[in-house]
Structure formats: C-alpha cells, structure tokens
Amino acid sequence: MTEAKSIRVLIADDFKVLRDVIRLHLERADDIDVVDEAPDLNDALEHIKSLRPDVVIMNDYLPPIDSAHATTHLREQGFTDAILVVSMHLEPQRIQRSFLSGANGFMHKDEIDKNLVGAIRQIHQGERYLSPKAGIVYKSSQN
C-alpha cells in the first residue's frame, strides 16, 4: 500500500500567536505538514522558493503589503500552488480582491478552528474555498 503524500503548508502571518494557533490545528491532521512559517512577505518568498509548499496560508496584510498585492506578486514570481487568505475583516471588496489577485480561498479568522483543515484540502484539490461567514457577507453584497 502506498502512503498518501502530505500537503505541504507554509504559514505567512505577522502575528506569531496566530501562526502558533494555525500550526496547532494543522498538526492534528495526518495529511498536512507545516514546512515553515514567515512573518512577512520577504521571508515568505524565500521559503516558497526553497521549500516549494503546496499551500500558503497568508494573512490579509503581510508586511509590507496587503494580501491582494502579495498574491499578485507570488503569481508573477511563478508560484502556481494554492493560496488561502485569512482575515479578521469581512468586507466584500476585500474578499473579491483576494480572488481577483489569484487567491484560491478566503477565510475569516474566527473560523480557523472549525474550517481550516477542510479548506486546505479543498484548495489543494484545485477547488475554491470561501468560509461560511465570508460567504454570507459576500453573497449579501451581491443582491
């Protein structure tokens, strides 16, 4: 029997406490490996080039720029794997900018404990992900 390949994840957030919380949730999943953490865009770029993660979890503000610009920059640098933006903000424009810049998913930080592992699996399989709270806000803005 062949062993399933783990999903390699990089956590990019300027708050260490949040990186620790995310890591704790991901370490419970047998099919996910956290390869490293980055507190800013420059470190994230270095880790992406050297470690080649399958998924990057990125705060919506990754110093020195917001996640939409960071995602665009990553895509321009040739990073084709999945990006999940996590945010404490739920403005419809922010959600839309994330997807338009090339993110594969968007999650409200309050939903990390319940939805993070599933979101990573979903975007790793090539699907888009929008967390329940973000989905409600975004859909209500479309009416």
Side-chain angles (χ1 to χ4, degrees):
M1 182 163 96
T2 53
E3 188 175 315
K5 183 181 172 204
S6 291
I7 303 169
R8 297 168 40 80
V9 175
L10 173 71
I11 304 167
D13 196 295
D14 56 329
F15 291 106
K16 175 150 179 36
V17 172
L18 187 60
R19 291 195 312 265
D20 292 344
V21 167
I22 290 171
R23 180 181 281 276
L24 278 172
H25 284 289
L26 297 181
E27 286 176 344
R28 296 180 190 148
D30 292 337
D31 60 336
I32 297 174
D33 286 326
V34 176
V35 295
D36 214 336
E37 300 175 11
D40 57 45
L41 181 61
N42 290 332
D43 281 355
L45 288 172
E46 286 181 31
H47 294 314
I48 288 167
K49 288 176 185 174
S50 64
L51 300 172
R52 308 299 300 165
D54 301 310
V55 175
V56 173
I57 300 171
M58 184 186 324
N59 184 13
D60 69 344
Y61 176 74
L62 192 60
I65 59 178
D66 66 41
S67 64
H69 288 97
T71 300
T72 299
H73 184 74
L74 289 172
R75 296 301 187 211
E76 289 171 349
Q77 296 295 312
F79 183 73
T80 59
D81 290 313
I83 298 172
L84 175 66
V85 174
V86 293
S87 177
M88 63 183 195
H89 306 286
L90 285 176
E91 296 92 14
Q93 300 84 358
R94 186 181 304 258
I95 297 167
Q96 185 175 29
R97 272 195 323 266
S98 293
F99 284 111
L100 290 175
S101 67
N104 305 83
F106 188 97
M107 173 178 286
H108 189 261
K109 287 182 179 180
D110 284 352
E111 299 174 287
I112 286 173
D113 60 335
K114 294 180 183 173
N115 299 312
L116 183 62
V117 171
I120 288 172
R121 290 175 180 148
Q122 188 171 327
I123 66 173
H124 182 253
Q125 293 174 347
E127 299 174 33
R128 288 190 177 246
Y129 178 83
L130 186 59
S131 70
K133 285 184 180 180
I136 290 168
V137 168
Y138 187 72
K139 288 174 187 168
S140 68
S141 75
Q142 303 301 302
N143 295 331

